[in-house]
Amino acid sequence: MTTEPFVHAGQREEANHLGMWLFLATEAMMFGALFFALTVVRLRMPEGVRLASGHLDKLLGTLNTGVLLTSSLLVALAVTAARQGRQERTAGLLAGAAGLGVVFLAIKAYEYVTEFREGLMPGPGFRLADQPGAELFFNLYYAATGLHALHLTIGVLLMLGLSARVLGGYLKVPERSTSVELPGLYWHVVDIVWMFLYPTLYLVSR
């Protein structure tokens, strides 16, 4: 004999939301440690960090910020459409957000390739090795942006999977709009992390 742990659907939704917020809190703490490390390095070796940050492509960083802000808007509109029971619109908006996520990752990959060619990859041949703090800054830069890119990749896969399920009728809205809202929360948090990474990494020399 099995016992249903929830008396009604509302309790299940509350538990799902609580679980998601706890998961997101652990993600925030992980990125928080990187932000703390970046802050310490910036305070202790400001000149090296300022010089290193000046070699980042601010135009591409700004472009990617706009891409992610637009993707968050699409996800928010998708959640609204799901609550309204608009199946096709929900699927289309989720797919659009995933597409913008891919655009972000492509731009970031181009940045990495350019930085590698310019000798900005930490290790032998690092062109700013004579500047205290510059190599450490780039180590943290690659760690933070790489971890963010990994989380965004997961988000893209989630959005594509959701879009396919909604469009195929396997996930009915608005009855199961929570299944759109929770991944939407994840997407927004990943975007918010970038909103902090962008000024912390790209605007140090300003």
Side-chain angles (χ1 to χ4, degrees):
M1 179 179 178
T2 60
T3 303
E4 173 60 47
F6 305 107
V7 176
H8 51 76
Q11 286 184 333
R12 183 184 298 109
E13 289 190 9
E14 289 178 6
N16 288 337
H17 276 91
L18 178 60
M20 176 57 77
W21 279 114
L22 288 173
F23 168 73
L24 294 177
T26 61
E27 296 294 292
M29 287 188 288
M30 178 172 54
F31 279 102
L34 286 170
F35 283 118
F36 178 76
L38 281 163
T39 301
V40 170
V41 173
R42 181 176 178 178
L43 291 174
R44 298 194 63 178
M45 292 169 277
E47 286 304 312
V49 169
R50 182 190 61 79
L51 182 66
S53 175
H55 283 78
L56 297 180
D57 194 321
K58 292 177 177 56
L59 177 60
L60 292 182
T62 302
L63 177 61
N64 256 350
T65 301
V67 168
L68 277 193
L69 284 172
T70 305
S71 74
S72 265
L73 173 62
L74 294 186
V75 170
L77 292 174
V79 171
T80 300
R83 289 171 178 169
Q84 295 171 346
R86 302 172 69 178
Q87 205 89 7
E88 291 185 3
R89 179 174 172 79
T90 301
L93 289 167
L94 291 171
L100 288 177
V102 171
V103 170
F104 178 98
L105 293 171
I107 293 173
K108 197 67 210 158
Y110 174 78
E111 269 193 275
Y112 284 158
V113 171
T114 302
E115 288 155 1
F116 175 77
R117 290 174 177 171
E118 293 179 354
L120 296 174
M121 189 70 66
F126 181 65
R127 62 180 291 190
L128 302 177
D130 59 333
Q131 297 294 327
E135 189 165 8
L136 182 54
F137 172 84
F138 267 100
N139 273 313
L140 291 170
Y141 161 77
Y142 286 118
T145 57
L147 189 60
H148 176 266
L150 174 62
H151 282 75
L152 184 60
T153 300
I154 294 171
V156 167
L157 295 175
L158 281 173
M159 294 300 118
L160 288 175
L162 271 177
S163 177
R165 291 181 64 200
V166 172
L167 190 61
Y170 300 105
L171 197 158
K172 297 290 186 181
V173 294
E175 294 87 349
R176 297 186 60 191
S177 60
T178 303
S179 297
V180 177
E181 294 173 19
L182 296 182
L185 279 176
Y186 173 85
W187 188 273
H188 291 316
V189 168
V190 171
D191 286 4
I192 289 170
V193 167
W194 178 258
M195 296 307 129
F196 283 97
L197 282 177
Y198 170 64
T200 302
L201 296 170
Y202 287 83
L203 305 183
V204 175
S205 61
R206 292 292 180 180

PDB file of all heavy atoms in Angstrom, residues 79-117:
ATOM      1  N   VAL A  79       6.072  31.614 -19.699  1.00  0.00           N
ATOM      2  CA  VAL A  79       5.372  31.255 -18.468  1.00  0.00           C
ATOM      3  C   VAL A  79       3.966  31.845 -18.474  1.00  0.00           C
ATOM      4  O   VAL A  79       2.988  31.176 -18.107  1.00  0.00           O
ATOM      5  CB  VAL A  79       6.162  31.747 -17.235  1.00  0.00           C
ATOM      6  CG1 VAL A  79       5.335  31.580 -15.963  1.00  0.00           C
ATOM      7  CG2 VAL A  79       7.476  30.972 -17.109  1.00  0.00           C
ATOM      8  N   THR A  80       3.853  33.101 -18.901  1.00  0.00           N
ATOM      9  CA  THR A  80       2.534  33.738 -18.989  1.00  0.00           C
ATOM     10  C   THR A  80       1.641  32.995 -19.974  1.00  0.00           C
ATOM     11  O   THR A  80       0.459  32.743 -19.697  1.00  0.00           O
ATOM     12  CB  THR A  80       2.684  35.211 -19.432  1.00  0.00           C
ATOM     13  OG1 THR A  80       3.473  35.908 -18.469  1.00  0.00           O
ATOM     14  CG2 THR A  80       1.320  35.879 -19.550  1.00  0.00           C
ATOM     15  N   ALA A  81       2.198  32.635 -21.134  1.00  0.00           N
ATOM     16  CA  ALA A  81       1.426  31.904 -22.142  1.00  0.00           C
ATOM     17  C   ALA A  81       0.993  30.541 -21.615  1.00  0.00           C
ATOM     18  O   ALA A  81      -0.125  30.083 -21.888  1.00  0.00           O
ATOM     19  CB  ALA A  81       2.261  31.744 -23.409  1.00  0.00           C
ATOM     20  N   ALA A  82       1.854  29.887 -20.844  1.00  0.00           N
ATOM     21  CA  ALA A  82       1.516  28.578 -20.270  1.00  0.00           C
ATOM     22  C   ALA A  82       0.349  28.713 -19.303  1.00  0.00           C
ATOM     23  O   ALA A  82      -0.565  27.879 -19.290  1.00  0.00           O
ATOM     24  CB  ALA A  82       2.730  27.980 -19.571  1.00  0.00           C
ATOM     25  N   ARG A  83       0.354  29.760 -18.490  1.00  0.00           N
ATOM     26  CA  ARG A  83      -0.736  29.969 -17.539  1.00  0.00           C
ATOM     27  C   ARG A  83      -2.044  30.261 -18.258  1.00  0.00           C
ATOM     28  O   ARG A  83      -3.123  29.992 -17.730  1.00  0.00           O
ATOM     29  CB  ARG A  83      -0.387  31.132 -16.604  1.00  0.00           C
ATOM     30  CG  ARG A  83       0.725  30.806 -15.612  1.00  0.00           C
ATOM     31  CD  ARG A  83       1.182  32.039 -14.875  1.00  0.00           C
ATOM     32  NE  ARG A  83       2.217  31.737 -13.886  1.00  0.00           N
ATOM     33  CZ  ARG A  83       2.932  32.658 -13.264  1.00  0.00           C
ATOM     34  NH1 ARG A  83       2.741  33.952 -13.531  1.00  0.00           N
ATOM     35  NH2 ARG A  83       3.854  32.297 -12.387  1.00  0.00           N
ATOM     36  N   GLN A  84      -1.937  30.808 -19.460  1.00  0.00           N
ATOM     37  CA  GLN A  84      -3.128  31.116 -20.255  1.00  0.00           C
ATOM     38  C   GLN A  84      -3.572  29.931 -21.114  1.00  0.00           C
ATOM     39  O   GLN A  84      -4.587  30.011 -21.800  1.00  0.00           O
ATOM     40  CB  GLN A  84      -2.857  32.326 -21.153  1.00  0.00           C
ATOM     41  CG  GLN A  84      -2.612  33.620 -20.386  1.00  0.00           C
ATOM     42  CD  GLN A  84      -2.133  34.749 -21.276  1.00  0.00           C
ATOM     43  OE1 GLN A  84      -1.729  34.529 -22.435  1.00  0.00           O
ATOM     44  NE2 GLN A  84      -2.172  35.961 -20.756  1.00  0.00           N
ATOM     45  N   GLY A  85      -2.790  28.848 -21.097  1.00  0.00           N
ATOM     46  CA  GLY A  85      -3.135  27.664 -21.869  1.00  0.00           C
ATOM     47  C   GLY A  85      -2.837  27.774 -23.352  1.00  0.00           C
ATOM     48  O   GLY A  85      -3.414  27.047 -24.154  1.00  0.00           O
ATOM     49  N   ARG A  86      -1.926  28.652 -23.725  1.00  0.00           N
ATOM     50  CA  ARG A  86      -1.593  28.859 -25.134  1.00  0.00           C
ATOM     51  C   ARG A  86      -0.413  27.946 -25.498  1.00  0.00           C
ATOM     52  O   ARG A  86       0.750  28.318 -25.377  1.00  0.00           O
ATOM     53  CB  ARG A  86      -1.274  30.333 -25.377  1.00  0.00           C
ATOM     54  CG  ARG A  86      -2.431  31.237 -24.981  1.00  0.00           C
ATOM     55  CD  ARG A  86      -2.074  32.717 -25.037  1.00  0.00           C
ATOM     56  NE  ARG A  86      -1.886  33.180 -26.400  1.00  0.00           N
ATOM     57  CZ  ARG A  86      -1.608  34.447 -26.711  1.00  0.00           C
ATOM     58  NH1 ARG A  86      -1.475  35.352 -25.751  1.00  0.00           N
ATOM     59  NH2 ARG A  86      -1.458  34.804 -27.972  1.00  0.00           N
ATOM     60  N   GLN A  87      -0.765  26.773 -25.935  1.00  0.00           N
ATOM     61  CA  GLN A  87       0.202  25.697 -26.136  1.00  0.00           C
ATOM     62  C   GLN A  87       1.297  26.056 -27.148  1.00  0.00           C
ATOM     63  O   GLN A  87       2.491  25.963 -26.852  1.00  0.00           O
ATOM     64  CB  GLN A  87      -0.545  24.447 -26.607  1.00  0.00           C
ATOM     65  CG  GLN A  87       0.156  23.138 -26.309  1.00  0.00           C
ATOM     66  CD  GLN A  87      -0.196  22.565 -24.946  1.00  0.00           C
ATOM     67  OE1 GLN A  87      -1.064  23.067 -24.247  1.00  0.00           O
ATOM     68  NE2 GLN A  87       0.493  21.512 -24.561  1.00  0.00           N
ATOM     69  N   GLU A  88       0.914  26.453 -28.349  1.00  0.00           N
ATOM     70  CA  GLU A  88       1.891  26.712 -29.402  1.00  0.00           C
ATOM     71  C   GLU A  88       2.755  27.924 -29.084  1.00  0.00           C
ATOM     72  O   GLU A  88       3.960  27.924 -29.350  1.00  0.00           O
ATOM     73  CB  GLU A  88       1.182  26.893 -30.744  1.00  0.00           C
ATOM     74  CG  GLU A  88       0.557  25.614 -31.286  1.00  0.00           C
ATOM     75  CD  GLU A  88      -0.031  25.803 -32.667  1.00  0.00           C
ATOM     76  OE1 GLU A  88       0.093  26.920 -33.234  1.00  0.00           O
ATOM     77  OE2 GLU A  88      -0.611  24.844 -33.191  1.00  0.00           O
ATOM     78  N   ARG A  89       2.148  28.965 -28.519  1.00  0.00           N
ATOM     79  CA  ARG A  89       2.913  30.156 -28.171  1.00  0.00           C
ATOM     80  C   ARG A  89       3.954  29.828 -27.092  1.00  0.00           C
ATOM     81  O   ARG A  89       5.097  30.288 -27.159  1.00  0.00           O
ATOM     82  CB  ARG A  89       1.979  31.262 -27.697  1.00  0.00           C
ATOM     83  CG  ARG A  89       2.704  32.549 -27.279  1.00  0.00           C
ATOM     84  CD  ARG A  89       1.708  33.658 -26.955  1.00  0.00           C
ATOM     85  NE  ARG A  89       2.355  34.822 -26.389  1.00  0.00           N
ATOM     86  CZ  ARG A  89       3.006  35.746 -27.078  1.00  0.00           C
ATOM     87  NH1 ARG A  89       3.108  35.626 -28.398  1.00  0.00           N
ATOM     88  NH2 ARG A  89       3.554  36.788 -26.482  1.00  0.00           N
ATOM     89  N   THR A  90       3.552  29.026 -26.127  1.00  0.00           N
ATOM     90  CA  THR A  90       4.484  28.618 -25.080  1.00  0.00           C
ATOM     91  C   THR A  90       5.683  27.887 -25.675  1.00  0.00           C
ATOM     92  O   THR A  90       6.841  28.204 -25.357  1.00  0.00           O
ATOM     93  CB  THR A  90       3.792  27.702 -24.055  1.00  0.00           C
ATOM     94  OG1 THR A  90       2.688  28.397 -23.473  1.00  0.00           O
ATOM     95  CG2 THR A  90       4.755  27.275 -22.958  1.00  0.00           C
ATOM     96  N   ALA A  91       5.405  26.928 -26.550  1.00  0.00           N
ATOM     97  CA  ALA A  91       6.482  26.150 -27.172  1.00  0.00           C
ATOM     98  C   ALA A  91       7.405  27.040 -27.994  1.00  0.00           C
ATOM     99  O   ALA A  91       8.636  26.905 -27.949  1.00  0.00           O
ATOM    100  CB  ALA A  91       5.885  25.048 -28.043  1.00  0.00           C
ATOM    101  N   GLY A  92       6.828  27.970 -28.747  1.00  0.00           N
ATOM    102  CA  GLY A  92       7.622  28.848 -29.590  1.00  0.00           C
ATOM    103  C   GLY A  92       8.530  29.766 -28.787  1.00  0.00           C
ATOM    104  O   GLY A  92       9.700  29.975 -29.143  1.00  0.00           O
ATOM    105  N   LEU A  93       8.010  30.312 -27.701  1.00  0.00           N
ATOM    106  CA  LEU A  93       8.806  31.206 -26.864  1.00  0.00           C
ATOM    107  C   LEU A  93       9.942  30.463 -26.170  1.00  0.00           C
ATOM    108  O   LEU A  93      11.065  30.976 -26.049  1.00  0.00           O
ATOM    109  CB  LEU A  93       7.903  31.890 -25.828  1.00  0.00           C
ATOM    110  CG  LEU A  93       6.946  32.942 -26.392  1.00  0.00           C
ATOM    111  CD1 LEU A  93       5.888  33.320 -25.357  1.00  0.00           C
ATOM    112  CD2 LEU A  93       7.717  34.188 -26.834  1.00  0.00           C
ATOM    113  N   LEU A  94       9.664  29.249 -25.716  1.00  0.00           N
ATOM    114  CA  LEU A  94      10.718  28.440 -25.092  1.00  0.00           C
ATOM    115  C   LEU A  94      11.821  28.112 -26.096  1.00  0.00           C
ATOM    116  O   LEU A  94      13.012  28.180 -25.768  1.00  0.00           O
ATOM    117  CB  LEU A  94      10.126  27.155 -24.523  1.00  0.00           C
ATOM    118  CG  LEU A  94       9.200  27.303 -23.309  1.00  0.00           C
ATOM    119  CD1 LEU A  94       8.519  25.977 -22.987  1.00  0.00           C
ATOM    120  CD2 LEU A  94       9.973  27.807 -22.093  1.00  0.00           C
ATOM    121  N   ALA A  95      11.420  27.772 -27.320  1.00  0.00           N
ATOM    122  CA  ALA A  95      12.406  27.480 -28.361  1.00  0.00           C
ATOM    123  C   ALA A  95      13.217  28.727 -28.698  1.00  0.00           C
ATOM    124  O   ALA A  95      14.432  28.649 -28.935  1.00  0.00           O
ATOM    125  CB  ALA A  95      11.711  26.940 -29.606  1.00  0.00           C
ATOM    126  N   GLY A  96      12.555  29.887 -28.703  1.00  0.00           N
ATOM    127  CA  GLY A  96      13.248  31.139 -28.972  1.00  0.00           C
ATOM    128  C   GLY A  96      14.296  31.451 -27.912  1.00  0.00           C
ATOM    129  O   GLY A  96      15.413  31.880 -28.220  1.00  0.00           O
ATOM    130  N   ALA A  97      13.937  31.214 -26.644  1.00  0.00           N
ATOM    131  CA  ALA A  97      14.885  31.432 -25.544  1.00  0.00           C
ATOM    132  C   ALA A  97      16.091  30.501 -25.686  1.00  0.00           C
ATOM    133  O   ALA A  97      17.242  30.909 -25.492  1.00  0.00           O
ATOM    134  CB  ALA A  97      14.198  31.211 -24.199  1.00  0.00           C
ATOM    135  N   ALA A  98      15.818  29.238 -26.033  1.00  0.00           N
ATOM    136  CA  ALA A  98      16.905  28.280 -26.233  1.00  0.00           C
ATOM    137  C   ALA A  98      17.811  28.729 -27.375  1.00  0.00           C
ATOM    138  O   ALA A  98      19.044  28.626 -27.289  1.00  0.00           O
ATOM    139  CB  ALA A  98      16.342  26.895 -26.514  1.00  0.00           C
ATOM    140  N   GLY A  99      17.204  29.244 -28.448  1.00  0.00           N
ATOM    141  CA  GLY A  99      17.979  29.733 -29.585  1.00  0.00           C
ATOM    142  C   GLY A  99      18.907  30.870 -29.197  1.00  0.00           C
ATOM    143  O   GLY A  99      20.076  30.915 -29.610  1.00  0.00           O
ATOM    144  N   LEU A 100      18.411  31.791 -28.371  1.00  0.00           N
ATOM    145  CA  LEU A 100      19.246  32.895 -27.905  1.00  0.00           C
ATOM    146  C   LEU A 100      20.359  32.382 -26.986  1.00  0.00           C
ATOM    147  O   LEU A 100      21.467  32.930 -26.972  1.00  0.00           O
ATOM    148  CB  LEU A 100      18.397  33.933 -27.180  1.00  0.00           C
ATOM    149  CG  LEU A 100      17.480  34.766 -28.087  1.00  0.00           C
ATOM    150  CD1 LEU A 100      16.615  35.713 -27.259  1.00  0.00           C
ATOM    151  CD2 LEU A 100      18.299  35.564 -29.099  1.00  0.00           C
ATOM    152  N   GLY A 101      20.054  31.334 -26.230  1.00  0.00           N
ATOM    153  CA  GLY A 101      21.093  30.719 -25.407  1.00  0.00           C
ATOM    154  C   GLY A 101      22.224  30.175 -26.265  1.00  0.00           C
ATOM    155  O   GLY A 101      23.407  30.313 -25.925  1.00  0.00           O
ATOM    156  N   VAL A 102      21.870  29.570 -27.397  1.00  0.00           N
ATOM    157  CA  VAL A 102      22.881  29.044 -28.322  1.00  0.00           C
ATOM    158  C   VAL A 102      23.699  30.196 -28.912  1.00  0.00           C
ATOM    159  O   VAL A 102      24.926  30.090 -29.073  1.00  0.00           O
ATOM    160  CB  VAL A 102      22.212  28.219 -29.443  1.00  0.00           C
ATOM    161  CG1 VAL A 102      23.230  27.852 -30.517  1.00  0.00           C
ATOM    162  CG2 VAL A 102      21.578  26.955 -28.862  1.00  0.00           C
ATOM    163  N   VAL A 103      23.021  31.312 -29.225  1.00  0.00           N
ATOM    164  CA  VAL A 103      23.730  32.493 -29.738  1.00  0.00           C
ATOM    165  C   VAL A 103      24.757  32.979 -28.713  1.00  0.00           C
ATOM    166  O   VAL A 103      25.909  33.286 -29.051  1.00  0.00           O
ATOM    167  CB  VAL A 103      22.741  33.625 -30.076  1.00  0.00           C
ATOM    168  CG1 VAL A 103      23.470  34.931 -30.377  1.00  0.00           C
ATOM    169  CG2 VAL A 103      21.875  33.233 -31.261  1.00  0.00           C
ATOM    170  N   PHE A 104      24.343  33.049 -27.442  1.00  0.00           N
ATOM    171  CA  PHE A 104      25.259  33.462 -26.378  1.00  0.00           C
ATOM    172  C   PHE A 104      26.476  32.552 -26.335  1.00  0.00           C
ATOM    173  O   PHE A 104      27.625  33.021 -26.262  1.00  0.00           O
ATOM    174  CB  PHE A 104      24.534  33.434 -25.028  1.00  0.00           C
ATOM    175  CG  PHE A 104      25.412  33.791 -23.851  1.00  0.00           C
ATOM    176  CD1 PHE A 104      25.412  35.073 -23.334  1.00  0.00           C
ATOM    177  CD2 PHE A 104      26.249  32.840 -23.265  1.00  0.00           C
ATOM    178  CE1 PHE A 104      26.231  35.407 -22.251  1.00  0.00           C
ATOM    179  CE2 PHE A 104      27.070  33.161 -22.187  1.00  0.00           C
ATOM    180  CZ  PHE A 104      27.054  34.457 -21.684  1.00  0.00           C
ATOM    181  N   LEU A 105      26.245  31.246 -26.363  1.00  0.00           N
ATOM    182  CA  LEU A 105      27.350  30.281 -26.274  1.00  0.00           C
ATOM    183  C   LEU A 105      28.284  30.391 -27.481  1.00  0.00           C
ATOM    184  O   LEU A 105      29.509  30.251 -27.343  1.00  0.00           O
ATOM    185  CB  LEU A 105      26.793  28.863 -26.163  1.00  0.00           C
ATOM    186  CG  LEU A 105      26.046  28.559 -24.853  1.00  0.00           C
ATOM    187  CD1 LEU A 105      25.335  27.202 -24.947  1.00  0.00           C
ATOM    188  CD2 LEU A 105      27.010  28.556 -23.666  1.00  0.00           C
ATOM    189  N   ALA A 106      27.723  30.664 -28.656  1.00  0.00           N
ATOM    190  CA  ALA A 106      28.544  30.812 -29.858  1.00  0.00           C
ATOM    191  C   ALA A 106      29.438  32.045 -29.758  1.00  0.00           C
ATOM    192  O   ALA A 106      30.623  32.003 -30.107  1.00  0.00           O
ATOM    193  CB  ALA A 106      27.653  30.907 -31.094  1.00  0.00           C
ATOM    194  N   ILE A 107      28.867  33.140 -29.261  1.00  0.00           N
ATOM    195  CA  ILE A 107      29.659  34.366 -29.080  1.00  0.00           C
ATOM    196  C   ILE A 107      30.762  34.135 -28.053  1.00  0.00           C
ATOM    197  O   ILE A 107      31.910  34.569 -28.228  1.00  0.00           O
ATOM    198  CB  ILE A 107      28.749  35.536 -28.655  1.00  0.00           C
ATOM    199  CG1 ILE A 107      27.804  35.914 -29.801  1.00  0.00           C
ATOM    200  CG2 ILE A 107      29.578  36.756 -28.242  1.00  0.00           C
ATOM    201  CD1 ILE A 107      26.753  36.939 -29.420  1.00  0.00           C
ATOM    202  N   LYS A 108      30.413  33.442 -26.974  1.00  0.00           N
ATOM    203  CA  LYS A 108      31.405  33.175 -25.923  1.00  0.00           C
ATOM    204  C   LYS A 108      32.519  32.281 -26.455  1.00  0.00           C
ATOM    205  O   LYS A 108      33.700  32.480 -26.134  1.00  0.00           O
ATOM    206  CB  LYS A 108      30.713  32.503 -24.725  1.00  0.00           C
ATOM    207  CG  LYS A 108      31.517  32.555 -23.442  1.00  0.00           C
ATOM    208  CD  LYS A 108      31.630  33.985 -22.943  1.00  0.00           C
ATOM    209  CE  LYS A 108      32.926  34.165 -22.202  1.00  0.00           C
ATOM    210  NZ  LYS A 108      33.346  35.558 -22.138  1.00  0.00           N
ATOM    211  N   ALA A 109      32.160  31.290 -27.271  1.00  0.00           N
ATOM    212  CA  ALA A 109      33.171  30.407 -27.860  1.00  0.00           C
ATOM    213  C   ALA A 109      34.112  31.209 -28.763  1.00  0.00           C
ATOM    214  O   ALA A 109      35.329  30.989 -28.762  1.00  0.00           O
ATOM    215  CB  ALA A 109      32.489  29.294 -28.651  1.00  0.00           C
ATOM    216  N   TYR A 110      33.553  32.143 -29.522  1.00  0.00           N
ATOM    217  CA  TYR A 110      34.381  33.006 -30.380  1.00  0.00           C
ATOM    218  C   TYR A 110      35.343  33.837 -29.530  1.00  0.00           C
ATOM    219  O   TYR A 110      36.513  34.011 -29.889  1.00  0.00           O
ATOM    220  CB  TYR A 110      33.482  33.915 -31.213  1.00  0.00           C
ATOM    221  CG  TYR A 110      34.243  34.940 -32.020  1.00  0.00           C
ATOM    222  CD1 TYR A 110      34.888  34.587 -33.203  1.00  0.00           C
ATOM    223  CD2 TYR A 110      34.334  36.266 -31.577  1.00  0.00           C
ATOM    224  CE1 TYR A 110      35.601  35.528 -33.939  1.00  0.00           C
ATOM    225  CE2 TYR A 110      35.051  37.208 -32.296  1.00  0.00           C
ATOM    226  CZ  TYR A 110      35.679  36.837 -33.480  1.00  0.00           C
ATOM    227  OH  TYR A 110      36.392  37.763 -34.197  1.00  0.00           O
ATOM    228  N   GLU A 111      34.836  34.349 -28.400  1.00  0.00           N
ATOM    229  CA  GLU A 111      35.697  35.094 -27.471  1.00  0.00           C
ATOM    230  C   GLU A 111      36.861  34.233 -26.995  1.00  0.00           C
ATOM    231  O   GLU A 111      38.019  34.682 -26.972  1.00  0.00           O
ATOM    232  CB  GLU A 111      34.887  35.549 -26.257  1.00  0.00           C
ATOM    233  CG  GLU A 111      34.261  36.907 -26.369  1.00  0.00           C
ATOM    234  CD  GLU A 111      33.750  37.396 -25.034  1.00  0.00           C
ATOM    235  OE1 GLU A 111      32.607  37.048 -24.679  1.00  0.00           O
ATOM    236  OE2 GLU A 111      34.502  38.109 -24.334  1.00  0.00           O
ATOM    237  N   TYR A 112      36.557  33.006 -26.588  1.00  0.00           N
ATOM    238  CA  TYR A 112      37.603  32.107 -26.090  1.00  0.00           C
ATOM    239  C   TYR A 112      38.673  31.870 -27.155  1.00  0.00           C
ATOM    240  O   TYR A 112      39.878  31.890 -26.865  1.00  0.00           O
ATOM    241  CB  TYR A 112      36.999  30.773 -25.662  1.00  0.00           C
ATOM    242  CG  TYR A 112      36.258  30.786 -24.351  1.00  0.00           C
ATOM    243  CD1 TYR A 112      35.293  29.816 -24.065  1.00  0.00           C
ATOM    244  CD2 TYR A 112      36.521  31.745 -23.373  1.00  0.00           C
ATOM    245  CE1 TYR A 112      34.613  29.803 -22.857  1.00  0.00           C
ATOM    246  CE2 TYR A 112      35.848  31.743 -22.164  1.00  0.00           C
ATOM    247  CZ  TYR A 112      34.890  30.772 -21.914  1.00  0.00           C
ATOM    248  OH  TYR A 112      34.214  30.761 -20.714  1.00  0.00           O
ATOM    249  N   VAL A 113      38.242  31.621 -28.379  1.00  0.00           N
ATOM    250  CA  VAL A 113      39.188  31.363 -29.469  1.00  0.00           C
ATOM    251  C   VAL A 113      40.075  32.588 -29.696  1.00  0.00           C
ATOM    252  O   VAL A 113      41.295  32.471 -29.859  1.00  0.00           O
ATOM    253  CB  VAL A 113      38.427  30.989 -30.764  1.00  0.00           C
ATOM    254  CG1 VAL A 113      39.393  30.944 -31.946  1.00  0.00           C
ATOM    255  CG2 VAL A 113      37.736  29.640 -30.606  1.00  0.00           C
ATOM    256  N   THR A 114      39.461  33.765 -29.701  1.00  0.00           N
ATOM    257  CA  THR A 114      40.217  35.007 -29.901  1.00  0.00           C
ATOM    258  C   THR A 114      41.222  35.216 -28.780  1.00  0.00           C
ATOM    259  O   THR A 114      42.384  35.591 -29.019  1.00  0.00           O
ATOM    260  CB  THR A 114      39.261  36.210 -29.972  1.00  0.00           C
ATOM    261  OG1 THR A 114      38.324  36.012 -31.044  1.00  0.00           O
ATOM    262  CG2 THR A 114      40.023  37.497 -30.215  1.00  0.00           C
ATOM    263  N   GLU A 115      40.801  34.976 -27.557  1.00  0.00           N
ATOM    264  CA  GLU A 115      41.695  35.146 -26.405  1.00  0.00           C
ATOM    265  C   GLU A 115      42.862  34.158 -26.458  1.00  0.00           C
ATOM    266  O   GLU A 115      43.992  34.500 -26.107  1.00  0.00           O
ATOM    267  CB  GLU A 115      40.900  34.989 -25.109  1.00  0.00           C
ATOM    268  CG  GLU A 115      39.971  36.173 -24.839  1.00  0.00           C
ATOM    269  CD  GLU A 115      38.780  35.828 -23.957  1.00  0.00           C
ATOM    270  OE1 GLU A 115      38.676  34.658 -23.529  1.00  0.00           O
ATOM    271  OE2 GLU A 115      37.962  36.722 -23.711  1.00  0.00           O
ATOM    272  N   PHE A 116      42.578  32.947 -26.903  1.00  0.00           N
ATOM    273  CA  PHE A 116      43.640  31.951 -27.038  1.00  0.00           C
ATOM    274  C   PHE A 116      44.674  32.413 -28.065  1.00  0.00           C
ATOM    275  O   PHE A 116      45.887  32.316 -27.835  1.00  0.00           O
ATOM    276  CB  PHE A 116      43.037  30.607 -27.456  1.00  0.00           C
ATOM    277  CG  PHE A 116      44.056  29.543 -27.729  1.00  0.00           C
ATOM    278  CD1 PHE A 116      44.703  28.885 -26.693  1.00  0.00           C
ATOM    279  CD2 PHE A 116      44.397  29.213 -29.036  1.00  0.00           C
ATOM    280  CE1 PHE A 116      45.657  27.904 -26.944  1.00  0.00           C
ATOM    281  CE2 PHE A 116      45.350  28.231 -29.299  1.00  0.00           C
ATOM    282  CZ  PHE A 116      45.978  27.579 -28.255  1.00  0.00           C
ATOM    283  N   ARG A 117      44.205  32.930 -29.190  1.00  0.00           N
ATOM    284  CA  ARG A 117      45.111  33.398 -30.245  1.00  0.00           C
ATOM    285  C   ARG A 117      45.936  34.600 -29.797  1.00  0.00           C
ATOM    286  O   ARG A 117      47.050  34.802 -30.285  1.00  0.00           O
ATOM    287  CB  ARG A 117      44.305  33.755 -31.495  1.00  0.00           C
ATOM    288  CG  ARG A 117      43.712  32.549 -32.216  1.00  0.00           C
ATOM    289  CD  ARG A 117      42.804  32.974 -33.345  1.00  0.00           C
ATOM    290  NE  ARG A 117      42.289  31.818 -34.076  1.00  0.00           N
ATOM    291  CZ  ARG A 117      41.329  31.893 -34.999  1.00  0.00           C
ATOM    292  NH1 ARG A 117      40.792  33.075 -35.305  1.00  0.00           N
ATOM    293  NH2 ARG A 117      40.921  30.808 -35.611  1.00  0.00           N
TER     294      ARG A 117
END
